Amino acid sequence: MNKPYFLKPVPEAEAHSTLTSPRPEEARNVRLVGHSDLGGWNDAFQIRVRNGVCYVAAGGLYGSFGLTVLDVSDPTSPKVIKQLEHAPSARSHKVLIVDDVLIMNVDKKPGVVDPDMKGGLVLYDISNPRDPKFIRHVETDGNGIHRPVYDPKRKLLYSGGFKDGCNGRVLLIHDMKNPSDPELIGEGWVPGQNEAAHEEPTWDLNLLTPKSVDLHEAQPYGNYVTCAWRRGGYGMMDLTDSSRPRFMWRQNPYETHNWSPAAHTFLVPEGSPFGILLGETHTVNCAHPPAFTTFFDMRNFEHPISISTFNPYPIDPITMRPKDESWCQQGARYGAHNTWQWMKADDLLYLTWFNAGLRIVDWSNPFEPKELGYYIPAGNSKRFCPQTNEVFVDRDTGLIYITDRWGLGLHILEYVG
């Protein structure tokens, strides 16, 4: 089989770029409403907006650790209200809201010694939304939690976290009936992860390490969750009994076809019989085939089939890189990363694409997804191009919020198509 090639990845700081000056802003059917440099904090990750207050998590890639709270009641002039610094020994780069409790992950950095750092979750009271107050830490095994997701219908929290004796992150399930006091009620994993139970890996050890099947994210899907296992691909688990998750199936186009080797998000929007899978580009300058979006017919969810893909620019079918090679020559990541994960069947699809910015897609016919607009932030003197990372859409205003992992701040946008 003629599989796409892989190059040895290089660190971002060592990657060659053909850019000699900052790229200008590019947009189609999207206009810039407002921008914040987040009080000088650099990298920015996950976002939540509620009632004119915006919460932005910073993960410490380039120097900022913690939470920024902004007043966005006037989106043309967002104002920083408060910043809560976290210890640099961990990343707390995700943020979600359950009732009047704000939850951030705590993902301890491997190899960093900090006896005071508890991996897991950190909780804040936001009954006064402009002034979060610390409630408590919720400690979990190992290095803690990477990406928690809330299921409002079942009042459960799904996280990729560690379980002693298991290789890689597994599914952790917390009961959130009292959101200020989450209770761990269930754990689930791919057969082969539980080394302590003498399980043997069920994946290709020529391509994957024992720790590669590592749960990045689980999304609610009725009594099930759809899972993205990083290099382990995507699949489903049965949570009919949430205290005893049952593994159902796993597919991995990296093992079978050498496609992009990292699954980020696999979700089925509420009300839709179709699913959406995003890979995550992990390397700069397209050392690995860039990640993209795949649509699935989920009407037989135990045996879904892919029906189409989306890439913003034409792809060479042999190399699986963009035909316009300039996207892979900017010393940056090119390819899919994330989506607005609270979408429903009738919503547009909002995708972050690293140096190709935000992409807005009409997927009303998932067999023929069509791009409706895009926004690529301008670079600056330190970063000649963006690395657009996260997106959130405020249903109350229709405004779109994006953050940049390289330090280009928070952009507030409006779709005008």
Side-chain angles (χ1 to χ4, degrees):
M1 182 187 301
N2 186 9
K3 296 182 178 180
Y5 65 85
F6 279 61
L7 300 175
K8 184 179 179 179
V10 299
E12 289 179 355
E14 301 173 14
H16 173 72
S17 173
T18 59
L19 297 175
T20 57
S21 61
R23 276 178 29 196
E25 172 191 272
E26 297 180 48
R28 180 169 74 89
N29 290 334
V30 179
R31 75 176 186 92
L32 177 64
V33 174
H35 175 265
S36 172
D37 69 357
L38 302 171
W41 283 22
N42 296 321
D43 61 336
F45 283 76
Q46 208 167 40
I47 316 152
R48 291 293 189 280
V49 180
R50 188 170 74 173
N51 298 329
V53 179
C54 177
Y55 305 92
V56 180
L61 282 183
Y62 298 100
S64 301
F65 299 84
L67 176 71
T68 299
V69 184
L70 302 102
D71 181 341
V72 292
S73 55
D74 176 2
T76 66
S77 182
K79 294 179 173 59
V80 173
I81 304 169
K82 187 172 185 177
Q83 291 184 304
L84 300 174
E85 289 194 71
H86 288 187
S89 53
R91 284 205 300 168
S92 293
H93 56 324
K94 312 302 179 190
V95 57
L96 60 86
I97 297 172
V98 181
D99 298 335
D100 281 334
V101 177
L102 183 143
I103 301 170
M104 299 183 73
N105 70 314
V106 182
D107 195 5
K108 291 195 294 186
K109 290 185 176 180
V112 174
V113 178
D114 182 352
D116 296 326
M117 179 54 59
K118 302 180 178 71
L121 301 168
V122 60
L123 278 55
Y124 295 94
D125 177 356
I126 55 168
S127 52
N128 178 352
R130 302 167 67 90
D131 188 21
K133 298 294 187 184
F134 174 77
I135 300 174
R136 60 183 293 236
H137 287 283
V138 177
E139 191 169 0
T140 58
D141 290 348
N143 286 337
I145 284 174
H146 183 75
R147 197 175 185 94
V149 173
Y150 181 56
D151 181 346
K153 291 191 173 180
R154 303 187 71 188
K155 296 187 183 303
L156 298 173
L157 187 75
Y158 310 131
S159 304
F162 292 93
K163 172 181 170 60
D164 290 343
C166 287
N167 282 319
R169 291 180 178 87
V170 304
L171 174 65
L172 304 183
I173 304 169
H174 284 84
D175 187 313
M176 299 295 289
K177 290 185 178 65
N178 179 0
S180 64
D181 189 21
E183 178 188 1
L184 181 64
I185 60 171
E187 301 166 315
W189 55 88
V190 174
Q193 280 191 274
N194 197 334
E195 188 175 61
H198 307 291
E199 293 181 359
E200 295 292 331
T202 54
W203 48 88
D204 185 349
L205 289 176
N206 292 314
L207 283 175
L208 306 176
T209 71
K211 298 181 184 296
S212 291
V213 178
D214 180 78
L215 183 68
H216 182 258
E217 183 180 272
Q219 287 283 340
Y221 180 38
N223 287 333
Y224 307 89
V225 288
T226 50
C227 299
W229 282 289
R230 294 185 185 263
R231 291 198 173 208
Y234 59 95
M236 287 182 60
M237 300 187 78
D238 185 342
L239 265 60
T240 303
D241 179 352
S242 55
S243 67
R244 298 173 63 89
R246 180 178 67 84
F247 172 79
M248 294 170 62
W249 58 267
R250 180 180 70 90
Q251 297 180 17
N252 191 0
Y254 173 54
E255 288 179 88
T256 58
H257 293 77
N258 271 64
W259 283 12
S260 179
H264 185 283
T265 295
F266 181 35
L267 79 159
V268 183
E270 183 179 341
S272 177
F274 298 97
I276 302 166
L277 172 69
L278 265 81
E280 177 181 359
T281 294
H282 274 175
T283 61
V284 298
N285 287 351
C286 305
H288 294 170
F292 52 92
T293 309
T294 307
F295 297 87
F296 287 85
D297 183 339
M298 298 291 291
R299 285 172 286 195
N300 181 351
F301 58 77
E302 295 198 44
H303 301 281
I305 57 172
S306 58
I307 56 174
S308 66
T309 61
F310 170 78
N311 275 285
Y313 301 102
I315 295 291
D316 182 284
I318 303 301
T319 67
M320 293 186 73
R321 271 74 171 178
K323 291 182 178 179
D324 179 351
E325 296 179 356
S326 67
W327 291 109
C328 299
Q329 298 172 351
Q330 297 175 9
R333 300 190 196 191
Y334 168 86
H337 178 239
N338 204 0
T339 184
W340 177 41
Q341 297 176 1
W342 304 270
M343 62 182 292
K344 297 181 181 179
D346 295 334
D347 289 320
L348 297 176
L349 178 60
Y350 298 82
L351 303 168
T352 58
W353 220 268
F354 287 125
N355 65 343
L358 172 76
R359 321 304 297 201
I360 302 176
V361 178
D362 177 354
W363 72 296
S364 56
N365 179 356
F367 291 87
E368 296 181 356
K370 297 178 181 178
E371 185 170 84
L372 300 180
Y374 58 83
Y375 183 84
I376 306 177
N380 62 24
S381 59
K382 292 183 178 179
R383 300 293 187 181
F384 284 180
C385 68
Q387 292 284 259
T388 305
N389 199 79
E390 301 278 346
V391 56
F392 182 87
V393 180
D394 182 4
R395 288 193 181 277
D396 291 338
T397 63
L399 295 177
I400 308 158
Y401 293 73
I402 60 171
T403 52
D404 188 279
R405 69 190 286 129
W406 261 10
L408 298 185
L410 173 75
H411 292 78
I412 305 174
L413 312 171
E414 182 181 20
Y415 173 60
V416 295

